[in-house]
Amino acid sequence: MSIRVCGTTCLKGVIEVQGSKNTVLPIIAATILTDGISRIHNCPDISDVHVMCELLEILNIKTYYKDHLLVIDTRNITYAPLPCELTCRLRSSVLLLGAMLGRWGKARIGSPGGCTIGVRPIDIHLEGFYKMNVDISVENNILSCNCYQLQGCDFNMRYPSVGATENLLLAASGAQGRTILRGAAKEPEVIELCNYLNSIGVLIDGIGTEVLVIKGSGCLKSADYINVYDRIVAGTYMLIASAIPSDIILTGIDDIHYIKNIINVCARLGLNVVRAYNTLRVQSIGDVGAGDFATGTYPEFPTDLLPVLIAVLLKSQGKSCVTETVFENRFSVVNELRKLGGRLNVIGNSVYIERSDRIIGGMVDATDLRQGAALVAAGLMASGCTIINDASYIKRGYENIVKDLNDLGAEITYI
Ligand code: EPZ
């Protein structure tokens, strides 16, 4: 599947921002800890969600999805190993380890997949499980975890990994005694998972801080959850609006705190952002301010928006620099942007961007989800039309990027 997108002179209209991918996936995994029926509202219609449901079905969990409502019935749940063919299709499959350990004290699953943005080790996840008394072995891409009694522990995370924090929260929810996670991630996705776990009967203190104290329980009830908006999708559209004369209303922004860091960067780029209730009105004349930017763990600017920021800065009035501090290989967008006339230079973990007077439509390849979204942004900024190959990557996280931008007046279509 490819996307054809043409240069656009202005964007105007309303976008209903989809539910968050990276929030809902850990919560789907967490339902493994429960007995009963859970309803997850505002669940995005994206392939990662559907693959996660296929994995749950192997555990004899019934799932039903319609109109952004996901119903999960764990009443007949039974243990089973999870095969590589499915686990390798998404990163979040690794969270099934923590949830299965929390439920059964054992798990056997294939290696996780996910976007190719670096090595993406899971050593911190495994170190934490080890501290909880889990024996771990890896053979032929299969991870086997077993323990006699999953035991709460005091664990120092040497890096605030989002996935490791979520995985250890899930395991700790079913462990005996108290777990203390020091140096935990503070991302909104972690906060939402903590709140959900509290709602099913786990006791978690320190939510939103780097020290989480978890008191698990052997008896967790099912609960409904209303998913938050996807801050990365909202941020993608805000960044695009900075580079193209725009007047856009984003709806569904129910917690402004989760997006403050992104608003601050967009304001530096020249975007005017006005909030009213749960909407944001974003306006610009398309003149992008140059500057130096860096990604970081929350509340810093999110790494997931780095490729889109790089694309947008091609239009800036001067030289800019963007430094990546989270993943080691998130610059795959640079080569593709060069194909469209972008003037960029990578040195170490920074990319230096010069104003590119002419971005010209061409043929480019999506290689991961956010890089693909950045190419859509570049296509909108270019003169002429751009074909983005392998657009299925983009659909992994953006439910409706083509429709959303079409509704704003852009010429964009799947081909
Ligand atoms: C989550 O990935 C998100 N994915 C990513 O979004 C996001 O970029 C990332 O958090 C950071 O915010 C999902 O939620 C599914 P990490 P995750 O563990 O959990 C190193 C997207 O586009 N590390 O915080 O995999 C790791 O190599 C995706 O939606 C270890 O060294 O991120 C990386 O450099 C892409 N050992 C850094 O930590 C470990 O055991 C951050 O990784 C774990 C991580």
Side-chain angles (χ1 to χ4, degrees):
M1 180 199 299
S2 300
I3 286 177
R4 179 176 185 271
V5 52
C6 300
T8 301
T9 49
C10 75
L11 295 170
K12 189 171 168 49
V14 178
I15 293 181
E16 195 181 330
V17 178
Q18 71 180 67
S20 164
K21 165 177 90 75
N22 291 344
T23 303
V24 89
L25 292 169
I27 284 169
I28 295 174
T31 62
I32 289 176
L33 296 162
T34 68
D35 282 306
I37 298 174
S38 312
R39 286 170 203 81
I40 300 177
H41 302 267
N42 197 26
C43 181
D45 191 357
I46 51 175
S47 54
D48 278 13
V49 164
H50 300 303
V51 178
M52 201 67 162
C53 289
E54 279 185 62
L55 282 158
L56 294 197
E57 299 270 347
I58 294 172
L59 304 174
N60 209 27
I61 297 172
K62 295 275 164 280
T63 65
Y64 168 83
Y65 184 88
K66 197 169 180 213
D67 296 339
H68 300 123
L69 170 68
L70 174 62
V71 181
I72 300 177
D73 179 353
T74 55
R75 286 174 300 178
N76 295 316
I77 186 171
T78 46
Y79 174 82
L82 300 176
C84 258
E85 300 82 77
L86 285 176
T87 56
C88 69
R89 285 171 56 193
L90 79 166
R91 178 72 184 168
S92 293
S93 59
V94 76
L95 302 177
L96 298 169
L97 264 185
M100 291 171 77
L101 278 170
R103 173 103 204 187
W104 294 296
K106 62 178 181 178
R108 195 173 146 79
I109 78 165
S111 302
C115 290
T116 45
I117 51 181
V119 185
R120 306 193 78 179
I122 56 166
D123 51 331
I124 303 172
H125 307 229
L126 300 184
E127 274 168 36
F129 292 148
Y130 183 74
K131 272 222 131 185
M132 297 174 109
N133 257 352
V134 179
D135 289 328
I136 301 157
S137 64
V138 187
E139 211 180 318
N140 298 330
N141 284 333
I142 304 282
L143 279 154
S144 297
C145 294
N146 281 291
C147 65
Y148 173 67
Q149 172 68 65
L150 193 67
Q151 188 62 49
C153 68
D154 190 332
F155 182 56
N156 237 322
M157 301 181 61
R158 62 181 160 71
Y159 180 87
S161 153
V162 174
T165 305
E166 292 167 345
N167 228 341
L168 296 172
L169 276 164
L170 292 166
S173 297
Q176 195 171 64
R178 194 176 66 154
T179 299
I180 304 177
L181 298 179
R182 300 178 196 276
K186 296 181 287 193
E187 266 66 4
E189 293 75 20
V190 172
I191 295 176
E192 290 293 319
L193 176 61
C194 288
N195 289 335
Y196 177 74
L197 291 172
N198 270 346
S199 78
I200 62 174
V202 185
L203 291 175
I204 305 178
D205 273 342
I207 297 177
T209 74
E210 60 196 31
V211 182
L212 296 171
V213 182
I214 306 119
K215 175 85 186 61
S217 163
C219 168
L220 298 171
K221 55 185 192 304
S222 58
D224 291 355
Y225 173 71
I226 302 174
N227 190 21
V228 290
Y229 68 97
D230 195 307
R231 64 190 176 109
I232 305 301
V233 170
T236 300
Y237 292 136
M238 288 167 70
L239 286 168
I240 289 174
S242 311
I244 293 168
S246 297
D247 186 356
I248 302 172
I249 291 174
L250 300 173
T251 68
I253 312 294
D254 34 33
D255 190 333
I256 193 81
H257 293 103
Y258 289 170
I259 206 174
K260 267 200 167 150
N261 46 6
I262 300 169
I263 291 177
N264 290 343
V265 165
C266 288
R268 280 178 66 196
L269 298 177
L271 191 70
N272 185 40
V273 182
V274 178
R275 178 188 174 204
Y277 304 107
N278 68 345
T279 66
L280 289 181
R281 182 172 186 180
V282 298
Q283 293 168 297
S284 87
I285 52 168
D287 282 344
V288 179
D292 292 348
F293 303 88
T295 63
T297 56
Y298 190 80
E300 306 298 325
F301 186 74
T303 169
D304 290 345
L305 285 174
L306 169 117
V308 189
L309 177 62
I310 292 172
V312 160
L313 284 169
L314 290 174
K315 268 194 83 179
S316 67
Q317 314 290 322
K319 290 186 181 177
S320 299
C321 172
V322 183
T323 302
E324 164 67 335
T325 68
V326 180
F327 289 104
E328 79 252 8
N329 181 18
R330 218 158 190 176
F331 290 150
S332 62
V333 72
V334 167
N335 272 341
E336 301 309 300
L337 292 177
R338 283 187 185 133
K339 290 182 191 167
L340 304 179
R343 292 161 67 200
L344 315 101
N345 200 12
V346 178
I347 302 177
N349 63 339
S350 297
V351 56
Y352 295 84
I353 304 144
E354 293 193 35
R355 180 184 168 84
S356 308
D357 291 326
R358 272 178 72 75
I359 309 292
I360 302 161
M363 179 91 80
V364 286
D365 298 316
T367 54
D368 77 65
L369 161 62
R370 310 300 175 190
Q371 179 257 23
L375 297 176
V376 171
L380 291 166
M381 288 156 49
S383 56
C385 294
T386 298
I387 308 286
I388 302 160
N389 296 317
D390 295 327
S392 52
Y393 281 110
I394 306 174
K395 286 207 89 167
R396 286 185 53 184
Y398 295 84
E399 183 179 319
N400 261 326
I401 200 163
V402 164
K403 180 182 179 305
D404 287 346
L405 291 168
N406 244 313
D407 288 351
L408 300 183
E411 200 183 322
I412 176 168
T413 177
Y414 288 112
I415 53 172

